[in-house]
Each structure stands twice: as C-alpha cells, then as structure tokens.
Amino acid sequence: MNIKQIRNFCIIAHIDHGKSTLADCLLKKAKAVNPRKFRDQMLDSMDLERERGITIKASAVSLDYVKDGVTYSLNLIDTPGHVDFSYEVSRSLSACEGALLLVDAAQGIEAQTLTNMYMAMEKDLEIIPVLSKVDIKSARQEEVSEEIVHILGVKDEDVLSVSAKTGQGIEGIFDAIITKMPFPEGKAKVPLRALIFDSVYDDYRGVIVYIRIFDGSVKVGDSIFMMKTGLKFEVTELGVFRPEMTRVDKLSAGSVGYCTASIKSIHDVHIGDTITLSKRKSEVALQGYRKPLPMVFCGLYPTDNKGFMPLRDAIERLWINDSSFSFEAETSQALGFGFRCGFLGLLHMEIVQERLERESKVGIVQTAPTVTYEILTHDGNVINIDNPEKLPSVDTIKEFREPVVEARIILPSEYIGAIMQLVDDRRATYKSTEYLSDKRAILSYEIPLGEIIFDFYDKLKSMTRGFGTLDYEFIGYKPENLVKLDILVAGKKVDALSCIVHRKKAEAKGRKLVQNLKKDISRHMFEIPLQAAIGGRVIARETIRQMSKNVTAKCYGGDVTRKRKLLEKQKEGKKRMKNVGSVEIPQSAFLSVLSTDK
C-alpha cells in the first residue's frame, strides 16, 4: 500500500471517558470484525480488563476504510487512561502521528486528560479533540467544548461531537483522521528501522514483538539485528492486527504489526529497541523510551516455600509483557524467600499481583507498599532505599530525603476549601490555582509521594462526590525529618511491617498500627505483646490476651489447694508456650499499615 494512504493514530483520554467503546464503534463502522464474533471491549483481551472495565495494556488494530474510492489503512492503538499506566500511553504515542483526545461531555476535562495531551504535544502529534457521550442527559456540551477550546487553543468547529453508543458523528472522526492527520514520513528504499513498542510471550512461538516500521521493509526469512542487544534472529512470521493476528509476507514503512523470530528468552527483547537487517544495517537507532521509574515498592512472597520457583517464572513471564515494573529476589525473616517489586502506582501494583496469582496459580502474601527514599551519609554517599529494612544505622545518616511530586487536582470550585484542608494535612506546598471555567478549577501542589499513595485518591473522590481527579508527576527528592517505625510482635521485630514516617506523625501512626494488628492477629494460647518502636524507644503498645480455659471446671467443692495446683500448672504451661510458640500473622496484618489513616 502507498505510504500516503496509511494513518497511525491512538485514542487518549482520562479513565472511563469511553476510549474502548469508541474503539468498538470504529471497528464496527470499518467492518473490521465479523458481527457474530463481536463483543464489547473488543480490544481489551485480558479478563482483568473486562472485569474492572478499564484498559490496562495498549492494543493495536488495523482498519481498512474507503473514502472517495481510495482505501486507507488506519492503524489504531487503544491506550489506558489511568495515571499508573501512562508508560503504556507514552509508548503508543511514539508509534503514531496523530491522536484523538477524548473528553466526556458530562465530566469535562480531567487531570489525566491534560497529562496525555501534554505528552502528545511533546511528540508533535496532530491532536483532534473529540467530545464523547453527547447523547446522555447529563451532557454539558457547550460548557465542556469551551474548556477544550480554552486549553487547546482550537476553534469551536474543530471539536467533534460523537456518541459511540448510537454511532452519532463517527463518520466525522474517520474524515478528520484522513484529512487532518499526517501520513508517515518513512522511506521504503533505505535500511530497515523498526521500533519495538510492546511484546508478549507465547508458549509455542516464543516472544512476539509488536513493531512500528519507520523506514525500509522486512519480509519472512530476513535475518534481523537488535541494535541494543546486538542479537540476530531469523523472521519466521509477520502479521497485522485485524484485530486477531493475521499473517502477511511483508511489512513496509509506516506499517504497524507483529514479528516472531524464534526468540526463546524474554531477556533478548527490550521495549524501545530498534530492529534493522543483519546484512543491511541502519547506522542510527530510533529514539527509544526513557525507562520508567518505579514509584511504589512492596514485597511479594509465596504462601509456602514450594511456591518460590513458580512465582519467579510467573514474574519473569509477566515482565516481558509489562517492563514498567521491576523485581529482585529478597529474604524476609518473617516470610522467607520472595521478591521486592517496584510499580508505577497502587493500581499497577494491584493489577500485577492479581495477574500473578491467576497466571501462576501461586498464593501470594503482599507486604505494605512503600516509596523510594534517598539517604545522604556523612561520607558523602547517596543511597536509594526502597525497603525500610535496608536503612543504614541512624549515626551514619546526614540527611533523609523523600520523593516529592507535583500534583494537579481538577475539581468543581465549590469543593476547593475542603480539598485545600485535605492536602494541608498531607504536608503539601501550594503552587497555584487556575480556573478552567466558572465552575471548575485546577489546584497545583507539591506534595510528598508517600502521603498520597495510600488513601488520598479515595478521600479526594468522596469529598468531591466523585468529580475531583488527580494526576501527579515526580519532580525530585527533598530533605525531611523522617524516622523508621519498627513493629515488634511478641518481642520480635517483624521486618515486613516496618515503615518510614514523618517524626511528627510517628506516635499516632504507631498507636493506630498496633491497634489494627490487635484486630487482625487472632488470639493464641499465650499472651502476645504488640509494640511500635523508634530505635530502642517503644512509643505504643497493645496486648492480645491469651485464650483461656477453665481448668478447674471439673473440681466442685473439696479442698481449694487442688484448684490452685491446677491453675499453677496451667500458668507454667502458658509461660513455656510463650517461649517456644510462634505467632501466626495473617495477610491482612501486613496490609494494616495502609488502613492507619482511615
């Protein structure tokens, strides 16, 4: 196909603004799917995506659309909307020339809408604003259209109004894609340059690489060269997404498709690498992706020791499909062998854990999440700490630094006072207020990441009746007065329950934490003291009473000394049990760190 008849575009929006529904509608209109095989959320292939109603993985599909007798090949990449999956969005944007910016006609512009828009602008993409869900009763078409015009600086007539449910305005989207979005600028007769923007693992075909061809062409049987790893492979299969994988003999400049080359190891493929031909190599690699920085860390451990190897295999297999999370083996005194994993956010952590449990069939114990801290030692070294247990001794620490983000909160103006109070309680620094319209505003703050990863978003939603949205961007580390809070169960420190907190909040946090643990840990045959401590100083304590049995029940009447003898014997047994008995700590106890603010 002529490169001038190819269009590569993606759909970007805030979560729940109708990306997947619009993608379904475009598929129907272009007759890309047999009506008998069609189902809702066609491009969301994972069970988790369907259950939660969100897009987690970016997915691609090629559509053929005829306009004025000319057939155009439109390559659509559907992207996630949640802030935790913005890395997926950035990879998709690199494979496109244009983007449909989708805005809900009832909800208006929200935080992630702005972030995605700025990402698209940075990559010089042609942005087409689209107002979705215009058919619903609560739609505020004129008001939201004004917000879009104000933010993007476009004219009123440039904003397309559509309803993916009824099909209203869908023809206009196809026309705008063909007439307004540029065609790819690749050259067909130069050496091959293809960008790897995603990959999946198949038990039979090995690693399947998703590629966008920028220059040249590749055909089945070609020997390809990975420019980053320096490895060579022979292409065994090429294809496009329609939306199922459909084989083709050749992919040329401007195309989006997939490639298999008997790649057996998941470590041989790097997202963002450039593929070229072994015999005719390109001199310059394509600009890849900046490696995402994990912002939230937690430990993942199998519920029994036999599960370590299956868990490791499952993590490695999942990593090839989602390289935005990191992992390394670690050992915990309380939980045994497991992995320290890094994630982009709490939802990302939750999704990875659930996928691991489903795909590996291994029971997982998850520790409370924490963020990365920077430690400046007296000898001038800077250490990154992602686990409280790795913290060096207090006398070696010169400065304790915590991660700080710039948070943008978009909300109705009537809730500004309540939200300002909420962020002030989280040690935030006010930056600015900007009004999108008479009724909606953007609040900007600098706020410690550790203060917002647990329950901040839930409180924001409840205080604004669901209309407030949050987006944040990491800006660096700042020094603060932080301390390590240790938890002792029956006199033994439980490393998996340790956390780093601000000194002012340490006592309240410790008191609440031991109260929560008292509810979570069941009673044993002996008394269990629960303590929160900073260094060697205990700042809070609770006690779980032992289970009691009336050993004198069988004694009725008679000499009281017999009862005393039985009670003394029971007391000795309890003392011995306390010395040799172990305390069973359930999964809920490891997550009680999260609920201390609720």
Side-chain angles (χ1 to χ4, degrees):
M1 179 175 280
N2 189 328
I3 197 169
K4 292 186 177 180
Q5 291 159 239
I6 297 175
R7 300 289 184 275
N8 297 315
F9 71 100
C10 61
I11 304 174
I12 54 175
H14 190 85
I15 191 169
D16 282 337
H17 278 212
K19 293 177 302 301
S20 298
T21 312
L22 179 61
D24 287 348
C25 194
L26 294 174
L27 286 170
K28 277 184 189 173
K29 195 73 179 173
K31 298 178 181 173
V33 185
N34 187 319
R36 287 180 297 175
K37 293 183 179 179
F38 187 82
R39 51 180 168 71
D40 289 339
Q41 289 178 263
M42 192 73 199
L43 298 183
D44 293 342
S45 55
M46 287 164 51
D47 290 339
L48 264 177
E49 292 178 310
R50 301 183 160 281
E51 287 168 19
R52 290 171 174 259
I54 59 173
T55 302
I56 295 167
K57 287 292 297 174
S59 52
V61 62
S62 294
L63 311 172
D64 288 335
Y65 187 77
V66 180
K67 179 177 168 65
D68 300 331
V70 180
T71 302
Y72 291 88
S73 178
L74 312 179
N75 296 313
L76 158 66
I77 300 177
D78 184 28
T79 61
H82 197 280
V83 61
D84 284 10
F85 305 113
S86 55
Y87 181 59
E88 293 281 331
V89 179
S90 71
R91 290 182 353 202
S92 302
L93 294 175
S94 298
C96 300
E97 280 78 39
L100 298 177
L101 181 69
L102 205 61
V103 180
D104 189 316
Q107 300 285 345
I109 289 178
E110 301 201 45
Q112 194 61 26
T113 314
L114 291 178
T115 302
N116 290 335
M117 183 187 77
Y118 292 141
M119 284 166 65
M121 284 177 167
E122 280 174 16
K123 296 183 183 294
D124 293 327
L125 266 61
E126 180 66 37
I127 299 173
I128 298 173
V130 179
L131 204 58
S132 70
K133 304 185 186 179
V134 294
D135 59 313
I136 62 175
K137 289 180 181 178
S138 56
R140 303 176 292 118
Q141 211 167 324
E142 288 185 14
E143 193 180 322
V144 176
S145 185
E146 275 180 29
E147 288 181 12
I148 295 171
V149 170
H150 171 69
I151 290 290
L152 269 178
V154 294
K155 296 176 182 175
D156 275 332
E157 55 266 27
D158 293 332
V159 181
L160 303 178
S161 298
V162 303
S163 167
K165 238 173 201 176
T166 63
Q168 176 190 337
I170 298 300
E171 291 279 0
I173 286 186
F174 279 113
D175 291 342
I177 291 167
I178 291 166
T179 56
K180 292 184 179 180
M181 287 186 185
F183 56 83
E185 294 181 353
K187 298 174 184 175
K189 295 183 180 179
V190 298
L192 171 70
R193 288 199 306 166
L195 178 73
I196 301 175
F197 69 88
D198 207 349
S199 59
V200 293
Y201 188 84
D202 185 273
D203 287 331
Y204 303 102
R205 294 184 285 179
V207 180
I208 302 173
V209 180
Y210 292 12
I211 54 174
R212 155 73 201 274
I213 312 284
F214 278 85
D215 291 312
S217 60
V218 60
K219 59 184 185 296
V220 176
D222 281 347
S223 176
I224 55 173
F225 177 76
M226 307 282 195
M227 295 185 76
K228 185 174 182 179
T229 59
L231 299 172
K232 294 180 182 179
F233 300 97
E234 185 177 317
V235 177
T236 55
E237 184 184 331
L238 292 169
V240 293
F241 306 97
R242 292 191 176 275
E244 295 92 1
M245 291 182 177
T246 307
R247 291 190 180 206
V248 296
D249 295 324
K250 182 180 179 181
L251 288 174
S252 304
S255 302
V256 174
Y258 70 89
C259 161
T260 65
S262 301
I263 305 170
K264 301 298 181 191
S265 171
I266 58 177
H267 300 290
D268 293 340
V269 173
H270 288 267
I271 305 296
D273 198 356
T274 302
I275 295 177
T276 188
L277 295 177
S278 301
K279 293 181 180 177
R280 194 182 175 210
K281 293 178 184 174
S282 172
E283 296 296 323
V284 183
L286 294 163
Q287 186 178 354
Y289 306 109
R290 187 176 63 190
K291 194 174 179 182
L293 289 171
M295 303 306 293
V296 178
F297 290 83
C298 80
L300 295 180
Y301 296 85
T303 47
D304 61 74
N305 292 330
K306 293 178 183 176
F308 178 75
M309 294 305 289
L311 179 59
R312 188 184 71 175
D313 293 341
I315 285 178
E316 287 190 341
R317 186 170 293 198
L318 182 59
W319 178 78
I320 190 174
N321 193 232
D322 182 5
S323 59
S324 59
F325 86 94
S326 61
F327 65 95
E328 61 177 25
E330 72 167 6
T331 310
S332 163
Q333 294 173 0
L335 299 170
F337 293 101
F339 295 91
R340 191 75 185 168
C341 300
F343 309 93
L344 301 181
L346 276 189
L347 179 66
H348 187 211
M349 180 186 77
E350 199 180 318
I351 294 294
V352 167
Q353 183 196 351
E354 205 163 330
R355 286 181 69 183
L356 285 173
E357 285 183 326
R358 289 185 185 207
E359 292 166 20
S360 67
K361 305 289 190 291
V362 175
I364 293 175
V365 174
Q366 173 205 322
T367 64
T370 182
V371 297
T372 315
Y373 296 90
E374 260 188 11
I375 303 295
L376 175 64
T377 59
H378 285 292
D379 54 8
N381 292 328
V382 177
I383 310 167
N384 283 320
I385 302 294
D386 57 30
N387 185 346
E389 281 307 298
K390 294 179 183 176
L391 201 66
S393 59
V394 179
D395 55 334
T396 64
I397 299 174
K398 183 180 180 182
E399 195 172 74
F400 211 140
R401 300 169 183 164
E402 65 180 346
V404 177
V405 296
E406 184 173 336
R408 282 189 296 272
I409 302 168
I410 299 184
L411 73 167
S413 330
E414 62 196 276
Y415 300 114
I416 287 178
I419 297 306
M420 280 186 161
Q421 180 61 50
L422 174 66
V423 291
D424 284 345
D425 293 341
R426 305 299 176 108
R427 301 187 288 118
T429 305
Y430 173 76
K431 300 290 286 182
S432 65
T433 303
E434 182 186 344
Y435 283 88
L436 290 170
S437 65
D438 295 340
K439 295 179 181 177
R440 283 163 61 80
I442 307 174
L443 295 179
S444 295
Y445 279 89
E446 280 185 12
I447 187 167
L449 179 63
E451 295 284 351
I452 64 171
I453 63 165
F454 296 147
D455 63 342
F456 181 80
Y457 189 66
D458 292 340
K459 288 189 174 179
L460 170 68
K461 279 288 183 188
S462 63
M463 291 173 79
T464 59
R465 297 188 180 180
F467 290 106
T469 58
L470 168 73
D471 178 55
Y472 57 85
E473 186 180 345
F474 175 70
I475 54 175
Y477 290 90
K478 290 193 175 179
E480 264 300 344
N481 188 8
L482 304 171
V483 291
K484 180 187 171 193
L485 184 67
D486 288 316
I487 301 299
L488 288 79
V489 177
K492 295 177 184 175
K493 192 195 295 182
V494 182
D495 53 359
L497 288 173
S498 298
C499 56
I500 294 170
V501 295
H502 195 274
R503 191 178 291 276
K504 285 182 181 177
K505 295 187 173 184
E507 192 173 330
K509 176 102 173 175
R511 190 177 298 112
K512 190 68 178 170
L513 187 48
V514 291
Q515 287 171 0
N516 286 350
L517 287 175
K518 186 178 180 180
K519 297 173 192 170
D520 290 324
I521 299 175
S522 57
R523 290 169 70 183
H524 288 54
M525 294 300 291
F526 50 92
E527 185 182 90
I528 305 170
L530 305 171
Q531 298 166 304
I534 298 173
R537 185 168 67 92
V538 175
I539 59 171
R541 175 184 170 126
E542 289 284 340
T543 304
I544 301 174
R545 289 177 55 206
Q546 71 250 30
M547 295 171 74
S548 56
K549 178 184 176 184
N550 187 1
V551 290
T552 63
K554 59 187 175 182
C555 302
Y556 48 91
D559 190 4
V560 73
T561 55
R562 188 178 171 209
K563 292 184 180 180
R564 283 181 183 158
K565 202 178 283 183
L566 286 169
L567 288 168
E568 284 298 322
K569 190 176 178 182
Q570 184 190 39
K571 192 175 177 182
E572 285 299 317
K574 297 268 187 193
K575 189 184 288 186
R576 189 166 58 251
M577 202 179 290
K578 187 174 182 179
N579 291 332
V580 300
S582 60
V583 181
E584 288 185 21
I585 304 177
Q587 162 72 64
S588 57
F590 294 105
L591 297 180
S592 61
V593 177
L594 297 181
S595 55
T596 53
D597 293 327
K598 291 184 181 177

